[in-house]
Amino acid sequence: MRRARNMRPNIVSEAGLPTRMNQWWESIPFLTSAVVVVCGVIYLVCLLVGYDSFAEVCFLPSAVVSRFQVYRIYTSILFHGSLLHVLFNMMALVPLGSELERIMGSVRLLYVIILLATSNAIFHVLIALLGAHNPVLTDDYLMNECAIGFSGVLFSMIVIETSLSGVQSRSVFGLFNVPAKWYAFFLLVVFQLLMQNVSLLGHLCGILSGFAYTYGLFNFLIPGTTFYSSIESSSWLSSCVRRPKFIVCTGGNPSGYIPTHTSQNSTSGLLSGNIWRNLSSLMPQREVSTQSTEDSRFPGRGRALGSGQGQTASRLQSDSNLQERLLEDSSPNSTLVSSTPSNTHQLSEGRHSADSVATATGVPPHQGAVVSEEGITKLASMGFDRTQVEVALAAADGNLNVAVEILMSQQS
């Protein structure tokens, strides 16, 4: 059946694309969308005014070393040479930046981007100097290479995001899978083969910076949480913090911080803490459960569901093992546990063996192991055998609760 010609068009389908675009843009966090806007506006302005003197803003190692033009470290990541250049970089930034910003927070991610851009430039200059002044093969090409674009930082973010994801392998454009730790290097080779005028050294330095960050080599440069909180609470940033897309540092996922700062409550500053604490953060440390940290608002110790049963079972098993050792030491024929009064002498021998076991473990004999008549009477009145009660109390060092658990475990 055909639709009548005078029927009104489908308003929902016409408004679908703008609505979806608006929802997609609103889902991008604050800093990631800000970087996309800044890079896009800079490219449009350069396009409108006809500015193409990228040699003045690109990263040029010879200019940085000889004329100390360090501003090129940061201007080079904001300028792009073509529409495809800025389009591809921003399309790659949106998923990477959004994921990292939700984990780290907006201010923390901004600091990490600045740190990665700086470390990329340092690696770039060092490798260029090594290529120009090595005694084997001297080449000034790397010193005079002019690099622009955000792709160097993107390669660093790829390494960090891959490390955060914890996956073992990643797909390269859906064609084949590679080990996760080699994923960035495969992308480096693919882009170098498929595209022209691609800075191999700039991308390689981005990968090196990403691995340096994930392995904790920049720990001494990463401030504590108070540094980011002081920035977020400043008056000049209040208008940005109030925006729904802004993600505060304390609202991120602490398990995703790579690397984790050794002291989250340290004073603000780049070199907060002493030298030993910064160096110790580079060493592998034993993971501490988050349940051990006690919240002042909820005093007490938390316990996961089902954990009490596992702890009780393990304690019962250890007490049963201790009782078995006492029985074996006191009577080789295992005739100590008996309801006949003729085994009183063997019971005293069992106590003597328990004292010897306590002495061997460094516990003074009869410290808590002397069974009180009152405790024996209480447990015997509950229906337990008196001889078993005495052995259980000796194994439990006089603790009635533990003795009851031992007796219950024997009956079960």
Side-chain angles (χ1 to χ4, degrees):
M1 180 181 296
R2 295 189 303 174
R3 187 183 64 180
R5 294 185 178 180
N6 57 353
M7 184 177 294
R8 296 181 60 185
N10 192 344
I11 300 176
V12 177
S13 62
E14 290 182 356
L17 182 58
T19 302
R20 274 177 275 175
M21 289 296 296
N22 183 56
Q23 292 175 349
W24 172 78
W25 179 254
E26 290 298 327
S27 65
I28 303 175
F30 177 79
L31 180 65
T32 304
S33 59
V35 174
V36 172
V37 170
V38 169
C39 292
V41 169
I42 289 178
Y43 176 75
L44 290 178
V45 171
C46 293
L47 188 64
L48 294 176
V49 300
Y51 180 83
D52 58 356
S53 301
F54 296 118
E56 299 176 357
V57 295
C58 68
F59 184 76
L60 190 62
S62 59
V64 174
V65 173
S66 60
R67 296 188 291 273
F68 201 66
Q69 296 178 352
V70 293
Y71 68 88
R72 294 176 177 269
I73 298 176
Y74 309 106
T75 57
S76 61
I77 65 175
L78 299 177
F79 285 81
H80 294 80
S82 65
L83 178 61
L84 291 179
H85 189 196
V86 66
L87 185 62
F88 286 158
N89 280 354
M90 295 304 103
M91 288 178 61
L93 172 65
V94 168
L96 285 172
S98 300
E99 181 69 20
L100 293 178
E101 187 170 356
R102 293 187 183 100
I103 294 174
M104 298 181 179
S106 300
V107 177
R108 183 190 292 266
L109 180 61
L110 176 61
Y111 179 83
V112 170
I113 289 176
I114 296 174
L115 177 63
L116 293 175
T118 306
S119 60
N120 289 356
I122 294 175
F123 283 132
H124 198 141
V125 170
L126 292 178
I127 296 176
L129 288 173
L130 182 62
H133 300 286
N134 69 87
V136 179
L137 180 62
T138 302
D139 190 0
D140 294 334
Y141 171 76
L142 297 178
M143 290 293 295
N144 298 319
E145 183 185 42
C146 188
I148 58 172
F150 203 80
S151 54
V153 178
L154 286 176
F155 269 89
S156 299
M157 297 173 71
I158 289 173
V159 175
I160 297 173
E161 194 274 335
T162 303
S163 180
L164 279 173
S165 64
V167 297
Q168 299 298 324
S169 63
R170 305 206 76 163
S171 175
V172 180
F173 302 117
L175 300 177
F176 54 91
N177 293 332
V178 297
K181 61 182 179 180
W182 300 107
Y183 176 67
F185 291 101
F186 273 90
L187 291 181
L188 175 68
V189 175
V190 169
F191 286 138
Q192 198 68 29
L193 294 176
L194 297 181
M195 300 182 181
Q196 298 179 350
N197 297 327
V198 176
S199 176
L200 174 64
L201 183 57
H203 294 169
L204 178 61
C205 293
I207 295 176
L208 295 179
S209 296
F211 277 109
Y213 181 84
T214 55
Y215 281 101
L217 300 183
F218 297 153
N219 275 11
F220 68 99
L221 294 174
I222 299 178
T225 308
T226 53
F227 173 78
Y228 307 108
S229 300
S230 61
I231 296 178
E232 293 169 349
S233 60
S234 60
S235 57
W236 56 273
L237 200 62
S238 58
S239 60
C240 298
V241 175
R242 287 195 297 265
R243 293 182 177 271
K245 299 172 62 173
F246 190 92
I247 301 177
V248 296
C249 175
T250 55
N253 180 12
S255 64
Y257 297 157
I258 295 183
T260 302
H261 194 263
T262 55
S263 176
Q264 297 294 340
N265 298 323
S266 59
T267 57
S268 62
L270 295 182
L271 298 177
S272 58
N274 52 44
I275 300 296
W276 169 248
R277 186 173 62 190
N278 293 329
L279 292 177
S280 63
S281 64
L282 304 178
M283 305 177 184
Q285 299 179 357
R286 184 172 56 187
E287 183 178 0
V288 180
S289 176
T290 56
Q291 294 182 356
S292 62
T293 58
E294 190 172 301
D295 196 340
S296 60
R297 298 175 298 174
F298 307 100
R301 179 175 298 176
R303 177 177 295 179
L305 293 178
S307 61
Q309 298 178 357
Q311 294 176 358
T312 304
S314 62
R315 185 171 60 182
L316 288 175
Q317 183 178 2
S318 62
D319 293 335
S320 301
N321 295 335
L322 176 60
Q323 183 186 10
E324 292 176 0
R325 292 199 304 270
L326 292 174
L327 295 176
E328 291 175 359
D329 293 339
S330 61
S331 176
N333 296 325
S334 300
T335 59
L336 179 62
V337 181
S338 176
S339 59
T340 60
S342 61
N343 291 328
T344 307
H345 180 67
Q346 294 180 356
L347 177 62
S348 62
E349 292 180 357
R351 292 178 181 175
H352 178 71
S353 300
D355 293 341
S356 63
V357 172
T359 305
T361 56
V363 180
H366 300 288
Q367 181 179 356
V370 177
V371 180
S372 63
E373 187 65 25
E374 182 181 0
I376 297 175
T377 305
K378 286 183 179 180
L379 296 182
S381 64
M382 297 172 61
F384 298 110
D385 182 76
R386 183 180 180 85
T387 306
Q388 294 180 353
V389 167
E390 293 177 348
V391 175
L393 283 173
D397 290 339
N399 192 321
L400 293 179
N401 295 328
V402 177
V404 169
E405 293 175 351
I406 295 176
L407 292 172
M408 293 295 294
S409 64
Q410 290 177 352
Q411 293 183 357
S412 60

